[in-house]
Amino acid sequence: MAQARSALLEVRGQQGAALKWVQLLLLLAAAPGWSQLSEDRAGRQWPVPYKRFSFRPEPDPYCQAKYTFCPTGSSIPTLKGDDVIEVFRLQAPVWEFKYGDLLSHMKIMHDAVGFRSTLTGKNYTMEWYELFQLGNCTFPHLRPEMNAPFWCNQGAACFFEGIDDIHWKENGTLVLVATISGNMFNQMAKWVKEDNETGIYYETWTVQSSPEKVAETWFESYDCSKFVLRTYQKLAELGAEFKKIETNYTRIFLYSGEPMYLGNETSVFGPAGNKTLALAIKRFYYPFKPYLSTKEFLLSLLQIFDAVIIHREFYLFYNFEYWFLPMKFPFIKITYEEIPLPNRNRTLSGL
């Protein structure tokens, strides 16, 4: 009886996981708690540290955005040291400009930071997001003329004058979280420039061993919310004191056993690469290709369900390297969980 009940729960769980994949794929198709580092027995560090680079490369002309990145962007101004700057938490549903509050019902939210100079009265918005929309950052293009999957994955900071009050207030959040000096703002601006030049790619997934609070984290996401959290932490290190208010963020989890390192593009897809593995990776990514008809989309859902839920396989591209994830129930989960505002001069890892 217990075995039958367990099997029934597993089937229901698979159905729920399939529904979550449908929701996520619709999200991609429409795209116009910190853990400490640990080591496995082989000495590998978990979560795998996000790789930073010495410079930001120019985007490949093949990569085209449906919506122009940061169309009204400007450089961050230098403010007077004795200015008093109000810092605002900004949050709204993803693609609210096109779909209104639709994605807020799934708690899929975009985060940003707002500033207001009390000396000049000027407002500013600062955010970090994908150059070529979420789908391109999450899955590659399979180009016939190329043996390896081709990735259009970059994320960057965008700073511009003004705060669209209606955009943030109507279906989201616009709330004062701290007050800083002009000097603090200017120091933060220098940090943003360095952070933006060295952290160049977007990562959708947080990968953990289970949904439990004590679960091992294999990979951390690197997205809009992480940029906001890093900004808050930098301001705290500079002496900012944050208000005691609840702050929640969207996270998309994958659940797997211990990941297996496969190699980089050259070692997997190069002349001396593993042709069987290369073919398996490309077959896995094929159903995630963009511009699908309705029939192709439904067929792709079946293929994804078969690979991820039935065969429990997922290939992750992280730090420009490929990893195999042996997927585990409940496979995928979208959460909207609290991550507290930082304490003054307190350092958080994993940002």
Side-chain angles (χ1 to χ4, degrees), residues 8 10 29 79 93 100 103 120 142 147 150 167 185 196 203 211 239 278 303 318 344:
L8 178 60
E10 179 77 2
L79 302 182
L103 293 176
T120 66
L142 299 179
N147 190 40
F150 182 83
H167 168 69
F185 179 90
N196 192 51
E203 179 52 51
Q303 293 172 324
Y318 195 90
R344 186 173 181 176

Side-chain angles (χ1 to χ4, degrees), residues 7 70 99 120 124 138-139 156 186 248 256 281 290 295 305 322 347:
C70 201
Y99 300 109
T120 66
Y124 304 97
T138 309
F139 298 107
N186 295 335
N248 291 59
S256 84
I281 292 174
K295 181 180 178 181
F305 180 84
Y322 288 93
T347 302

Side-chain angles (χ1 to χ4, degrees), residues 236-299:
E237 291 171 5
L238 293 171
E241 293 190 13
F242 286 85
K243 294 180 177 294
K244 303 298 183 182
I245 61 173
E246 183 175 332
T247 50
N248 291 59
Y249 302 89
T250 300
R251 302 180 77 187
I252 305 178
F253 288 90
L254 295 178
Y255 299 108
S256 84
E258 185 169 313
M260 180 186 302
Y261 176 73
L262 301 177
N264 59 25
E265 180 179 310
T266 301
S267 64
V268 175
F269 296 95
N274 185 326
K275 290 181 172 56
T276 302
L277 175 59
L279 181 60
I281 292 174
K282 289 196 287 187
R283 280 178 174 169
F284 172 79
Y285 284 132
Y286 182 80
F288 296 97
K289 65 181 181 178
Y291 313 121
L292 297 174
S293 66
T294 301
K295 181 180 178 181
E296 289 174 324
F297 178 77
L298 294 174
L299 178 60

Side-chain angles (χ1 to χ4, degrees), residues 50 70 80 97 111 122 145 168 174 247 288 302 316 322:
Y50 178 90
C70 201
K80 290 186 177 181
F97 69 94
D111 297 277
K122 290 185 176 180
E145 71 275 19
W168 300 107
L174 193 164
T247 50
F288 296 97
L302 293 175
L316 178 73
Y322 288 93

